[in-house]
């Protein structure tokens, strides 16, 4: 689901794009914060604990955010091993899910074009949370598995990574067209709906 279909509604398109870009920054901030708590010095050294788009955002990732509805930031430098490394990696999808929760909450109360823009932003964040969970390099799911997996798992991930961006895009499209991504998005959306109901919304 790209943003291009919304070009005929410029305010919604622009707001959703900005919210998507902010979600990419939030993804990094979640990871950088936990890595810093675990004693990793690189995120702070390279500015990943600051709310600075120039540090976090990747131009090609922003282009694909508009075209495909899926983008990526610059990766947070962290080489923590084992459980700590896996937890840092999984903080990225959690950041997307937190953004989706807030965006969906605001969409319920804001008028056009903000309500529509935040609702679209929520869908983008749910898509990102779902995709980043998959164990496909260079996504967070793969980084988590690499941190805690055995030798065979690491060799398999290295083999997948050897195909580069082309291999990733093929897997991304395959997961999308087979409905796997949609199923995960529906599950995450149901989780947020449960949280909203628990809050009486």
């Amino acid at each position: 689901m790209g943003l291009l279909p919304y070009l005929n509604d410029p305010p919604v398109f622009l707001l959703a794009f900005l919210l998507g870009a902010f979600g990419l920054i939030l993804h990094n901030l979640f990871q950088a914060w936990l890595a810093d708590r675990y004693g990793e010095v690189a995120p702070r050294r390279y500015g990943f604990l600051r709310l600075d788009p120039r540090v976090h955002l990747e131009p090609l990732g922003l282009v694909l955010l508009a075209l495909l509805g899926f983008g990526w930031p610059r990766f947070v430098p962290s080489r923590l091993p084992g459980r700590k490394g896996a937890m840092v990696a999984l903080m990225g999808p959690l950041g997307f899910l937190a953004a989706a929760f807030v965006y969906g909450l605001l969409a319920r109360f804001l008028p056009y074009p903000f309500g529509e823009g935040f609702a679209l932003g929520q869908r983008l964040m749910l898509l990102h949370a779902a995709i980043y969970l998959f164990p496909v390099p260079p996504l967070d799911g793969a980084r988590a598995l690499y941190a805690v997996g055995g030798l065979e798992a690491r060799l398999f991930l290295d083999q997948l990574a050897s195909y580069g961006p082309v291999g990733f895009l093929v897997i991304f499209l395959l997961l999308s067209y087979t409905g796997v991504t949609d199923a995960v998005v529906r599950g995450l959306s149901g989780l947020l709906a449960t949280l909203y109901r628990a809050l009486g919304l």
Side-chain angles (χ1 to χ4, degrees), residues 108-109 193-201:
R108 293 166 178 256
F109 302 106
T194 300
L195 292 175
Y196 292 142
R197 285 195 298 271
L199 294 173
L201 300 173

Side-chain angles (χ1 to χ4, degrees), residues 16-110:
F17 178 79
L18 292 175
L19 292 173
F22 182 73
L24 296 176
I25 295 174
L26 198 62
H27 163 279
N28 277 6
L29 289 174
F30 269 55
Q31 289 186 336
W33 175 81
L34 187 59
D36 186 69
R37 290 291 300 269
Y38 282 150
E40 174 67 79
V41 298
R44 183 177 296 274
R45 177 188 302 162
Y46 293 106
F48 281 88
L49 287 170
R50 299 198 309 267
L51 193 64
D52 185 349
R54 295 170 299 178
V55 172
H56 297 283
L57 297 180
E58 173 69 42
L60 181 58
L62 293 176
V63 170
L64 292 180
L65 176 66
L67 294 177
L68 300 178
F70 173 78
W72 56 78
R74 292 190 171 95
F75 291 106
V76 175
S78 175
R79 294 188 178 276
L80 291 167
R83 184 185 64 84
K84 289 183 177 180
M87 292 297 294
V88 169
L90 294 177
M91 283 294 283
L94 183 61
F96 288 133
L97 196 59
F101 176 82
V102 174
Y103 293 173
L105 189 64
L106 293 173
R108 293 166 178 256
F109 302 106
L110 295 173

